[in-house]
Amino acid sequence: MSDAITGPLVRAKNLSRHYEVSGGFFGKRASVKALSNASFELYAGKTLAVVGESGCGKSTLARVVTMIETPTAGELDLDGYVISADNELSDSQRSQLRASVQIVFQDPFGSLNPRQSIGRILEEPLLINRPDIDASQRESMAREMLAMTGLRPEHYERFPHMFSGGQRQRIAVARALMLNPKILVLDEPVSALDLSIQSQILNLLVELQERLGLAYLFISHDLSVVRHMADDVMVMYLGRVVESGPAQTVFSNPQHPYTQALLSATPVADPSRKQTRIRLQGELPSPLNPPAGCAFNPRCWKTEERCRGTAPALEADGSHSVACYYPMQ
Amino acid sequence: MPLLDVRNLTVEFKTADGQFRAVDGVDVQVDVGDVLAIVGESGSGKSVSMLAVMGLLPWTATVTADAIVFDGLDLTTATAAQRRSIIGRDVSMIFQEPMSSLNPCFTVGFQIREALKTHLSLTRSQRQSRAIELLEQVGLPEPVRRLKAFPHQLSGGMSQRVMIAMAIACKPKLLIADEPTTALDVTIQAQILELLLELQTSTGMALVLITHDMGVVAETAQRVSVQYAGQKVEEQSVGTLFADAHHPYTHALLSALPERANSRRLPSIPGVVPGQFDRPAGCLFSPRCSFADERCETVQPTASASSLGHARCHYPLSKGVPLARAELQS
Ligand SMILES: Nc1ncnc2c1ncn2[C@@H]1O[C@H](COP(=O)(O)OP(=O)(O)OP(=O)(O)O)[C@@H](O)[C@H]1O
Ligand SMILES: Nc1ncnc2c1ncn2[C@@H]1O[C@H](COP(=O)(O)OP(=O)(O)OP(=O)(O)O)[C@@H](O)[C@H]1O
Ligand SMILES: [Mg+2]
Ligand SMILES: [Mg+2]
C-alpha cells in the first residue's frame, strides 16, 4: 500500500486491549488492562524489541498487531490500513493485511499440526489466502521456502515429530513467510531453544531481514538476545510502556528504575564481571488490581508520595522516552 | 574425600528400537560447599545422570557405575533403608518440571509438612512454623495464606519457589537443582539464586546446578562440567572455562553467546547432536567439529590432563587453537 520507503509499516497510537473478566472482588466484573496506551512505529528492515516480565502484555500486543484481536482503544495503522475499536476492516482488506503481517509463536512444539506433512503445513496459508495459485505452484513455492530457511528438500514429506526443536522453529518461520509478509511478529522465537540452535535461528532471522527487508516486532525476555537483534526497544511493565528508544541508548543509559533493575538482574556470561545487583522487593502485582499511580511504585526504591498519586506519562527526550517522575541521572 | 563421588556412570534405556545410552561413563565429584554447574546441549544426559544418583529412574533404565558414594556411603550397594534415610534429606533435588512434581490433590502446606515429617522429628506446631519460615525464605508473600493453597492456585514462579522450599526443608548437604529458574522472570531468578548461594555459604550446602543459561553459570558456579551426547567432555573452574575453553564443543557453545558477538552474524555449530542410530565411531562431536580430522572420526578420544580441562578431545584447544600432536606429546 504505502510506497514511501521512509514511512513506518506499523504505527500504533495509544493502543489498548482490556479484557472484561468476572474474577474481581465479590465476583464483580473487572477489567484486566493487559495493554494500555502503547504508541510506537516500526519500519521496514528494522527490529523493534518488546521486553518485560511475564504478564506485562507482550503477547497481547502481538495478538493485536497480528489482528488476532482488535484493540479496545487507540489506533493501529498497519501498512496503510487503519484499525481501531470502531473501525472494523472489510473481509477483503483483512485478508490482504493478514498476508502482510505474520506471527511466529514461542512454542515450536505446539504450533505445528502433528498430522500435517511439512509441505502441507507450508502450503496451507496459500491454500486459504491465495486461491489464484494452483497446486503445483504451491508445491514449488513451499520447496523454495524450505531451501531459504535452511531446511532440506526431503523434509517436504516429513512430519513435525521427526524434527528437532530448532528445525521446528525453522518450519514455523518458513510457514510465516509463505505469504510474503512485510511484518513479522516474533513472540519469544528462541526461548525454547538451546544456545547452539538459538544462534542458528537468530542468524536465519538476520539473513531474511537483510534479504527481504522484513520489519520485526521481536518479543523476548532475554536481554542479551534483544541487545543483539534490536534497533529499538520498548520496555513494558504491567501493560504500560515505561521506557522506549534506540536499543543502544536504552541499554547504555536506562532511565526508568524498572529498566535498570531488569538490566542488573540479567546474568552476564562473564565470570570476571561481578555486577552489583538492584534488589527488587516483591513481585508483579495482580493486573486485576494494579497499584494506584505508577504501577512500579511498590517495588521501586525511588518511590515518593507523588508516585502513588497519578501515573507518570511517557515523556520524550528526542527519541528516548520514559514514564517516571524521578528518572535515573 | 568428596561429598559426592560418582565414577564411570552409565545409563541405558530400553526402547522399542533397542538399548539407548543416555549417559556414557560420566564422573562427578562434589565437595562440601561446592557449586558445580552442569551444562550441555538438550538431551545430553544432564537430568538423567542426576536422577540416577537419586535412584529415581524408571525400570526401563539400567544404571551401572564403578561407584556412587555420598558422604561415605556407597549408594550402589546400600540397603533400601539406608538410601531412604539419605535421599530426600541429605540429598534433595529440585526437578526440571515444577508443575508435575507437586501433587495437585494436596495443599502446599500439607506437602511441605509431610516432607518434614518423613525425615525430621518435629512436633506438629514446629512443622507448621518451619513451613512458614521456609516460604518466607523463598520470598513468597503471605506465607500463612499460601500454605492453604493448592498447586493450581499458584503461578508458575510461585510453584517453583514452593518446590525450592520443599527441597531445602531438611537442610540438605547436597542440593541438585535442575533448571531451577528457567520458568522465572529475571528479577525473581536473581532472588532465588541469591537465596541458594546464601544457603551454600551459611550452611556449607553443596549445590549442583543444571542449566543452559551461561549467564547463570558465570555468576553462580565455581566449577563447570560440560556434557555432550551423554559424555562429559570438559570440566574446569568457571573463570578459566569462560576465558579458555579446551574442548571444541565448549568453545563453539561459548562463541554462540549473543553477548560475545562482534557482528550481526553469530558463530553457530552446524548440524545436530547424534541420535541413537548415528553415533559416530570416534569422537561424538567430530561430525560437527571444525577441527576434526580422520583420527577424530575413527578413534574415541579419552580425557586429557586437568590443565586442559580434562577435555575429551584428541586436539584440545588453547586460546581457540588446537594444540598440535607434537606439543601434546612433549
Ligand atoms: N483473554 C484474556 N482474558 C483475560 N486476561 C487475559 C487474557 N489474555 C491475557 N490476559 C492477561 O493479560 C496480561 C498480559 O498477558 P500477556 O500474555 O500479554 O503477557 P506476556 O507479557 O506475553 O507474558 P509472558 O512473558 O508470560 O508470555 C496477563 O495478566 C494475562 O493474564
Ligand atoms: N525414560 C526414558 N526412556 C528413554 N529415553 C529417555 C528417558 N529419559 C530420558 N531419555 C533420553 O535420554 C537422553 C538424555 O535425557 P536428559 O533428560 O538427561 O537430557 P538433558 O541433558 O537433561 O536435556 P535438557 O537440557 O533438554 O533437559 C535424551 O535423549 C532423552 O530422550
Ligand atoms: Mg507471552
Ligand atoms: Mg534436563
Side-chain angles (χ1 to χ4, degrees):
Chain A
M1 191 80 191
S2 61
D3 288 325
I5 302 168
T6 44
L9 282 174
V10 182
R11 181 186 282 133
K13 253 195 346 242
N14 300 324
L15 210 55
S16 300
R17 170 79 215 190
H18 297 179
Y19 298 102
E20 298 301 321
V21 292
S22 58
F25 288 107
F26 313 112
K28 261 196 252 160
R29 308 284 295 168
S31 155
V32 177
K33 298 185 170 65
L35 180 70
S36 291
N37 283 312
S39 300
F40 58 91
E41 290 176 347
L42 177 58
Y43 293 83
K46 297 284 178 197
T47 301
L48 168 65
V50 183
V51 304
E53 293 183 288
S54 185
C56 72
K58 304 183 294 295
S59 298
T60 303
L61 177 64
R63 288 192 299 271
V64 170
V65 171
T66 48
M67 293 170 298
I68 296 170
E69 289 177 1
T70 38
T72 48
E75 222 177 72
L76 180 65
D77 183 335
L78 267 183
D79 201 15
Y81 295 92
V82 177
I83 300 168
S84 67
D86 39 38
N87 183 31
E88 291 274 330
L89 296 175
S90 72
D91 285 350
S92 75
Q93 287 175 316
R94 198 167 265 276
S95 80
Q96 206 161 346
L97 253 187
R98 279 258 153 79
S100 19
V101 189
Q102 289 287 314
I103 182 163
V104 176
F105 292 101
Q106 164 168 4
D107 180 8
F109 301 96
S111 64
L112 303 175
N113 184 339
R115 279 181 291 277
Q116 290 184 343
S117 69
I118 303 313
R120 180 67 218 263
I121 288 173
L122 296 189
E123 286 166 28
E124 188 155 90
L126 296 173
L127 205 62
I128 294 170
N129 289 280
R130 298 288 303 273
D132 54 309
I133 296 176
D134 67 27
S136 74
Q137 245 179 313
R138 279 199 300 270
E139 174 167 348
S140 68
M141 288 168 78
R143 289 187 180 277
E144 226 169 278
M145 191 55 72
L146 282 178
M148 181 147 91
T149 49
L151 293 159
R152 304 182 54 81
E154 65 264 26
H155 291 160
Y156 182 85
E157 274 93 24
R158 297 200 185 151
F159 289 83
H161 73 267
M162 302 172 173
F163 292 90
S164 69
Q167 287 173 318
R168 283 183 234 205
Q169 199 57 298
R170 281 178 195 266
I171 296 165
V173 172
R175 175 179 56 184
L177 292 177
M178 284 307 289
L179 293 171
N180 241 330
K182 297 177 184 167
I183 303 151
L184 209 52
V185 175
L186 301 149
D187 193 354
E188 305 271 9
V190 293
S191 60
L193 304 175
D194 256 346
L195 199 51
S196 64
I197 310 295
Q198 168 180 299
S199 61
Q200 292 177 4
I201 297 294
L202 293 180
N203 283 346
L204 173 67
L205 292 174
V206 166
E207 202 175 286
L208 291 170
Q209 184 171 56
E210 282 167 2
R211 182 127 57 113
L212 307 171
L214 294 167
Y216 290 155
L217 185 67
F218 190 96
I219 294 171
S220 176
H221 64 267
D222 186 333
L223 293 185
S224 64
V225 169
V226 167
R227 200 191 282 256
H228 180 70
M229 295 293 288
D231 297 293
D232 295 290
V233 181
M234 203 156 78
V235 184
M236 292 180 57
Y237 190 80
L238 225 62
R240 286 181 178 272
V241 178
V242 297
E243 180 158 6
S244 72
Q248 281 278 342
T249 319
V250 173
F251 278 109
S252 61
N253 183 24
Q255 294 283 296
H256 198 284
Y258 176 64
T259 312
Q260 277 233 325
L262 208 56
L263 281 169
S264 90
T266 302
V268 180
D270 180 0
S272 62
R273 223 194 78 174
K274 285 274 173 269
Q275 58 179 353
T276 43
R277 190 148 279 159
I278 299 166
R279 296 185 59 149
L280 282 188
Q281 302 299 316
E283 22 188 339
L284 240 77
S286 157
L288 270 174
N289 190 19
C294 170
F296 186 57
N297 87 68
R299 298 173 79 193
C300 185
W301 64 100
K302 299 184 80 178
T303 296
E304 306 260 345
E305 210 36 57
R306 194 177 169 199
C307 307
R308 301 190 192 96
T310 39
L314 199 64
E315 308 257 359
D317 177 8
S319 55
H320 192 176
S321 306
V322 60
C324 179
Y325 292 124
Y326 307 102
M328 314 300 294
Q329 294 315 312
Chain B
M1 197 178 58
L3 181 66
L4 177 70
D5 193 358
V6 177
R7 303 272 171 187
N8 197 21
L9 174 71
T10 295
V11 180
E12 290 195 343
F13 286 104
K14 197 175 286 170
T15 72
D17 313 304
Q19 291 288 99
F20 169 63
R21 185 169 286 199
V23 179
D24 187 2
V26 165
D27 291 347
V28 187
Q29 275 84 42
V30 186
D31 289 318
V32 173
D34 237 358
V35 184
L36 171 71
I38 304 181
V39 303
E41 211 93 344
S42 181
S44 61
K46 304 183 295 291
S47 299
V48 167
S49 55
M50 286 302 125
L51 289 169
V53 170
M54 297 288 289
L56 292 175
L57 288 171
W59 65 272
T60 49
T62 312
V63 180
T64 55
D66 294 350
I68 304 179
V69 179
F70 177 78
D71 209 9
L73 179 71
D74 190 340
L75 297 177
T76 57
T77 56
T79 65
Q82 280 175 315
R83 295 184 59 98
R84 264 199 310 275
S85 71
I86 288 185
I87 303 297
R89 190 187 68 183
D90 293 343
V91 192
S92 66
M93 183 158 175
I94 300 168
F95 300 98
Q96 196 165 359
E97 285 114 30
M99 297 307 191
S100 56
S101 21
L102 284 175
N103 189 329
C105 307
F106 298 104
T107 64
V108 165
F110 179 83
Q111 295 185 59
I112 297 179
R113 287 190 302 266
E114 278 304 293
L116 292 168
K117 202 163 151 185
T118 316
H119 294 292
L120 305 176
S121 47
L122 297 177
T123 65
R124 252 181 93 97
S125 69
Q126 280 174 324
R127 286 199 291 272
Q128 174 69 6
S129 52
R130 175 77 178 132
I132 295 172
E133 181 188 60
L134 282 164
L135 290 195
E136 272 168 357
Q137 259 190 324
V138 295
L140 265 188
E142 303 176 78
V144 182
R145 196 161 74 86
R146 300 291 178 216
L147 284 175
K148 299 197 188 94
F150 286 90
H152 72 267
Q153 293 168 317
L154 303 177
S155 72
M158 286 183 189
S159 338
Q160 188 81 331
R161 284 193 257 183
V162 170
M163 288 302 305
I164 294 168
M166 284 174 66
I168 61 175
C170 303
K171 304 202 169 93
K173 294 179 182 165
L174 172 65
L175 176 64
I176 300 168
D178 194 352
E179 304 278 7
T181 55
T182 357
L184 305 177
D185 283 323
V186 285
T187 56
I188 308 293
Q189 167 175 281
Q191 291 172 15
I192 294 290
L193 292 175
E194 208 168 300
L195 167 72
L196 293 180
L197 286 184
E198 197 182 285
L199 284 169
Q200 177 257 343
T201 26
S202 64
T203 68
M205 178 184 82
L207 181 63
V208 172
L209 185 67
I210 302 175
T211 177
H212 63 257
D213 187 328
M214 291 310 227
V216 170
V217 173
E219 294 194 357
T220 320
Q222 295 159 3
R223 259 180 328 127
V224 189
S225 163
V226 186
Q227 279 188 206
Y228 185 80
Q231 297 182 333
K232 181 160 94 176
V233 297
E234 175 157 11
E235 182 174 330
Q236 281 206 63
S237 76
V238 68
T240 53
L241 184 100
F242 279 79
D244 192 9
H246 297 305
H247 195 283
Y249 171 66
T250 318
H251 187 260
L253 196 64
L254 293 175
S255 314
L257 284 169
E259 51 254 76
R260 292 198 171 189
N262 40 28
S263 79
R264 281 205 84 189
R265 175 152 277 281
L266 295 166
S268 69
I269 311 176
V272 291
V273 194
Q276 188 170 358
F277 303 110
D278 54 2
R279 266 171 108 83
C283 167
L284 296 182
F285 187 58
S286 62
R288 306 175 71 190
C289 181
S290 51
F291 306 106
D293 66 6
E294 208 192 315
R295 180 162 168 237
C296 305
E297 284 159 23
T298 50
V299 185
Q300 289 206 10
T302 52
S304 46
S306 67
S307 60
L308 290 167
H310 308 277
R312 194 188 269 266
C313 176
H314 291 304
Y315 312 111
L317 307 179
S318 173
K319 297 282 167 207
V321 182
L323 293 169
R325 216 171 309 191
E327 280 177 64
L328 282 173
Q329 279 158 359
S330 67

